C-alpha cells in the first residue's frame, strides 16, 4: 500500500481549516475568561492585532503561545490538544505527512541534489531558498516556513539520538544561494553537523562516471515502530511510500550512492577546500 501526499485544493483547505478551528477555540476561551485581545496579548507578550490574526486563522501561533494561552485562559488543555495539528499547518501541504513521520524517525537518510537538505540549512540559507520560491510567497509565509524548518532541526537534540546520514551532490556545494556570505555559512554548517557522532555527510562528486541517483532526491526513514518509509518530492508533487518493493528500490539506490560518494573525511576536505578558495 502506498500513502500519497496530494497537493491540491483539498489539502490546502485542510491546513487552513485546522487554523480556523483553533482560532475559534482560542476566541471562545478568551471571551469566557473575560479578556479582550489587548489584555490577552499583554499577558502573553503579543499585540492585539496578532491575537486577532491567530483567532481569524490568518497566522500560525507558535507552540509557546499555545501553552501560554491554555494556562492564561484556564482552558484545561483544550488549546494544547490542538498544538500538534497546528504545528503541522506550518508546513506546505505536500510536506506535512513527511514532517509528521520525521518526528518518529530513529533512522533518516537523505539524498539532496538542488540545495542543502532542510535539516542542515542555516536560517539565512533557508530564508533565501524560500524567498526564491515560485510563485512568490508572502513574507509571512516565508517566515512561517523558515521557523518550521528550524523547528525540524530539533531532531539533532533528540535522545536517544537517531542515525542520520546525508548524500549531497557536489553541485549543491558550488551553488551560491543567497550570496557568498550565506553560502559560506551553509558550508560551515555542513562541517559543524558532520562533527556529530550520529551524523554522516558525504558528497557525490562531479568526477564519478557512474551515478545511482539520477532519478532525483529522496529520503528514507525508519520509525520507532519499525516502519520503513521513503519520501520523494518534485515540483510540489510528493509521495510517502510504504510499499516494501518501492522502499527497497530506494534503499538499494542509497546504498550504491554512499559507495560511489566521497568518504566523510574526503567530503569534509572538499568543503574545507572550497571555503579556503574564496
Amino acid at each position: 500500500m502506498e500513502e500519497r501526499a496530494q497537493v491540491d485544493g483539498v489539502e490546502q483547505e485542510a491546513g487552513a481549516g485546522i487554523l480556523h478551528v483553533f482560532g475559534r477555540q482560542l476566541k471562545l476561551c478568551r471571551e469566557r475568561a473575560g479578556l479582550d485581545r489587548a489584555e490577552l496579548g499583554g499577558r502573553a507578550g503579543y499585540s492585539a492585532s496578532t491575537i486577532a490574526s491567530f483567532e481569524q486563522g490568518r497566522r500560525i501561533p507558535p507552540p509557546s503561545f499555545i501553552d501560554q494561552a491554555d494556562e492564561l485562559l484556564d482552558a484545561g488543555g483544550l488549546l494544547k490538544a490542538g498544538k500538534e495539528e497546528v504545528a503541522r499547518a506550518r508546513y506546505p501541504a505536500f510536506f506535512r505527512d513527511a514532517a509528521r513521520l520525521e518526528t518518529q524517525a530513529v533512522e533518516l537518510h537523505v539524498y539532496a541534489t538542488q540545495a542543502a537538505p532542510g535539516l542542515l540549512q542555516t536560517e539565512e540559507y533557508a530564508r533565501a531558498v524560500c524567498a526564491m520560491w515560485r510563485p512568490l510567497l508572502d513574507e509571512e509565509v516565508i517566515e512561517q516556513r523558515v521557523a518550521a524548518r528550524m523547528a525540524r532541526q530539533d531532531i539533532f537534540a533528540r535522545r536517544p539520538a537517531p542515525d542520520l546520514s546525508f548524500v549531497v551532490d557536489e553541485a549543491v556545494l558550488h551553488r551560491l544561494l543567497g550570496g557568498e556570505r550565506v553560502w559560506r555559512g551553509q558550508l560551515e554548517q555542513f562541517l559543524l553537523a558532520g562533527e556529530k557522532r550520529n551524523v554522516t555527510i558525504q558528497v557525490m562528486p562531479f568526477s564519478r562516471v557512474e551515478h545511482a541517483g539520477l532519478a532525483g532526491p529522496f529520503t528514507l526513514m525508519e520509525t520507532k515502530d519499525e516502519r520503513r518509509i521513503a519520501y520523494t518530492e518534485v515540483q510540489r508533487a510528493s509521495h510517502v511510500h510504504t510499499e516494501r518493493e518501492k522502499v527497497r528500490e530506494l534503499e538499494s539506490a542509497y546504498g550504491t550512492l554512499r559507495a560511489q560518494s566521497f568518504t566523510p573525511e574526503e567530503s569534509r576536505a572538499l568543503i574545507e577546500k572550497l571555503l579556503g578558495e574564496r
Side-chain angles (χ1 to χ4, degrees), residues 59-110:
R59 186 169 177 179
I60 301 173
S64 58
F65 168 79
I66 296 175
D67 289 337
Q68 273 185 300
D70 197 277
E71 294 175 8
L72 289 169
L73 302 177
D74 194 23
L78 175 65
L79 299 178
K80 289 182 180 180
K83 187 163 63 172
E84 184 175 334
E85 289 301 313
V86 170
R88 285 185 66 210
R90 295 180 298 180
Y91 300 105
F94 60 83
F95 188 68
R96 285 179 195 144
D97 285 339
R100 174 178 55 82
L101 291 165
E102 192 176 80
T103 64
Q104 304 168 21
V106 294
E107 286 189 26
L108 191 143
H109 309 287
V110 179

Side-chain angles (χ1 to χ4, degrees), residues 164-261:
L164 306 174
S165 74
F166 303 86
V167 174
V168 180
D169 263 2
E170 185 177 347
V172 172
L173 304 184
H174 292 272
R175 194 167 284 130
L176 275 68
L177 299 182
E180 185 165 338
R181 183 179 61 81
V182 173
W183 170 82
R184 290 188 66 87
Q186 183 57 57
L187 292 196
E188 290 167 356
Q189 177 79 344
F190 281 139
L191 297 177
L192 287 171
E195 293 177 356
K196 300 179 186 294
R197 293 173 56 211
N198 64 315
V199 177
T200 302
I201 299 175
Q202 293 176 257
V203 175
M204 181 65 181
F206 289 138
S207 59
R208 292 294 186 255
V209 297
E210 293 189 2
H211 194 313
L214 296 180
F218 57 89
T219 297
L220 299 168
M221 290 179 264
E222 181 170 347
T223 64
K224 296 173 184 176
D225 56 1
E226 300 183 348
R227 295 176 68 199
R228 300 176 82 168
I229 298 159
Y231 173 74
T232 58
E233 176 190 315
V234 61
Q235 294 294 331
R236 295 194 298 170
S238 62
H239 290 79
V240 174
H241 303 274
T242 56
E243 192 174 70
R244 188 66 196 122
E245 182 178 356
K246 178 62 176 180
V247 175
R248 188 183 295 113
E249 287 177 3
L250 291 173
E251 287 175 338
S252 176
Y254 192 74
T256 305
L257 276 168
R258 294 190 73 173
Q260 293 170 338
S261 297

Side-chain angles (χ1 to χ4, degrees), residues 116-129 146 149-150 153 177 181-190 192:
L119 287 174
L120 296 178
Q121 290 181 8
T122 66
E123 185 171 342
E124 288 184 315
Y125 186 96
R127 185 169 286 105
V129 169
V146 171
R149 195 159 297 182
M150 295 301 101
Q153 296 181 11
L177 299 182
R181 183 179 61 81
V182 173
W183 170 82
R184 290 188 66 87
Q186 183 57 57
L187 292 196
E188 290 167 356
Q189 177 79 344
F190 281 139
L192 287 171

